């Protein structure tokens, strides 16, 4: 019995590690989902990029395979054509989006690190999807401010996905709500922050986990109170609220 209890405790500990890409109660159940419904349908290009990213020292930053599958399905359901992605890393979610969009679909992709994006770019090019992507290196907030000032981008995006600096999520939302169309969708990644959003005050959290948790909590509270959107928080990956603009 003692060994069994120790095993369960180890399992709980694993789920407390930031970067574990599921909030499910067991690793085995998550693996079952991956092996039965995600990996068998994962496009070869996404598998290749996922394996390349796994070798990156910051591989925990990547979008999980099940979340990539979900984003692809969502984009097709809403017939998205003009999209934006803030926070690209090596481009796994970007590739999922590019595959889901029609041939003339477009993605405005922003990230402060071109080097990571270029790691996955050969896979995107080999898949014949590079023409859908407009990659811009640099901080997103000034670019968003310029787009709002220009005026022509208001309500022009069908879908926006944010997986970037959590301390600016609320700043992003204040701008993106003007750029997404009425009926369009915004998704913010990592908004359950590996479950730390419900951790007790004295919980032993890593410094950066505790620091960013406050910003995630602030965003979640703001989204719930925003009358311009409908929301649905999904425990996919590390938590992603689907925010549909209604006004």
């Amino acid at each position: 019995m003692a060994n069994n209890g120790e095993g369960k405790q180890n399992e709980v500990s694993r789920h407390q590690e930031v970067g574990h890409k599921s909030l499910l109660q067991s690793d085995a159940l998550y693996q079952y989902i991956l092996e039965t419904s995600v990996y068998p349908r994962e496009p070869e290009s996404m598998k290749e990029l996922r394996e390349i990213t796994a070798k990156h020292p910051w591989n925990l930053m990547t979008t999980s395979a099940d979340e990539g599958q979900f984003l692809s399905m969502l984009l097709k359901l809403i017939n998205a054509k003009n999209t934006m992605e803030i926070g690209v890393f090596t481009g796994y979610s970007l590739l999922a989006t590019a595959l889901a969009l029609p041939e003339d679909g477009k993605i405005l992709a922003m990230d402060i690190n071109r080097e990571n994006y270029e790691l996955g770019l050969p896979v995107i090019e080999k898949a014949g999807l590079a023409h859908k992507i407009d990659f811009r290196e640099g901080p997103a907030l000034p670019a968003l401010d310029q787009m709002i000032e220009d005026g022509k981008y208001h309500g022009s995006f069908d879908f926006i996905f944010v997986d970037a600096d959590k301390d600016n999520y609320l700043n992003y939302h204040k701008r993106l709500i003007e750029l997404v169309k009425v009926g369009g969708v915004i998704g913010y990644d990592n908004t359950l922050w590996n479950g730390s959003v419900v951790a007790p005050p004295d919980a032993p959290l890593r410094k950066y986990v505790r620091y960013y948790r406050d910003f995630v909590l602030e965003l979640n509270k703001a989204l719930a109170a925003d009358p311009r959107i409908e929301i649905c928080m999904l425990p996919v990956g590390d938590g992603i609220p689907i925010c549909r603009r209604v006004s």
Side-chain angles (χ1 to χ4, degrees), residues 83-110:
T83 74
M84 184 193 304
E85 182 161 332
I86 300 175
V88 172
F89 192 41
T90 61
Y92 187 80
S93 57
L94 186 64
L95 177 56
T97 300
L99 285 165
L101 294 183
E103 182 61 23
D104 59 345
K106 297 296 180 184
I107 313 164
L108 172 58
M110 292 184 272

Side-chain angles (χ1 to χ4, degrees), residues 145-215:
D145 286 337
Q146 184 61 54
M147 292 171 69
I148 291 171
E149 186 178 332
D150 287 348
K152 62 182 180 181
Y153 296 99
H154 283 242
S156 64
F157 290 90
D158 304 312
F159 177 77
I160 302 172
F161 182 60
V162 184
D163 185 8
D165 41 333
K166 316 307 171 196
D167 46 344
N168 270 317
Y169 266 23
L170 195 52
N171 290 324
Y172 289 136
H173 183 69
K174 291 174 181 176
R175 293 158 173 81
L176 296 179
I177 196 67
E178 295 188 40
L179 298 173
V180 72
K181 73 177 185 180
V182 173
V185 173
I186 309 173
Y188 295 95
D189 204 15
N190 305 111
T191 47
L192 293 179
W193 206 221
N194 198 236
S196 68
V197 290
V198 294
D202 59 347
L205 301 175
R206 296 175 185 177
K207 286 184 179 179
Y208 82 94
V209 176
R210 185 176 298 280
Y211 174 77
Y212 287 115
R213 179 182 64 167
D214 291 340
F215 293 101

Side-chain angles (χ1 to χ4, degrees), residues 99-155:
L99 285 165
L101 294 183
E103 182 61 23
D104 59 345
K106 297 296 180 184
I107 313 164
L108 172 58
M110 292 184 272
D111 199 293
I112 58 172
N113 190 318
R114 178 179 288 274
E115 185 178 346
N116 289 329
Y117 166 66
E118 290 182 343
L119 188 66
L121 185 55
V123 179
I124 293 172
E125 291 175 335
K126 186 168 68 173
L129 299 167
H131 67 283
K132 297 182 181 182
I133 299 168
D134 175 11
F135 179 83
R136 301 183 189 179
E137 183 179 20
L141 287 175
L144 296 176
D145 286 337
Q146 184 61 54
M147 292 171 69
I148 291 171
E149 186 178 332
D150 287 348
K152 62 182 180 181
Y153 296 99
H154 283 242

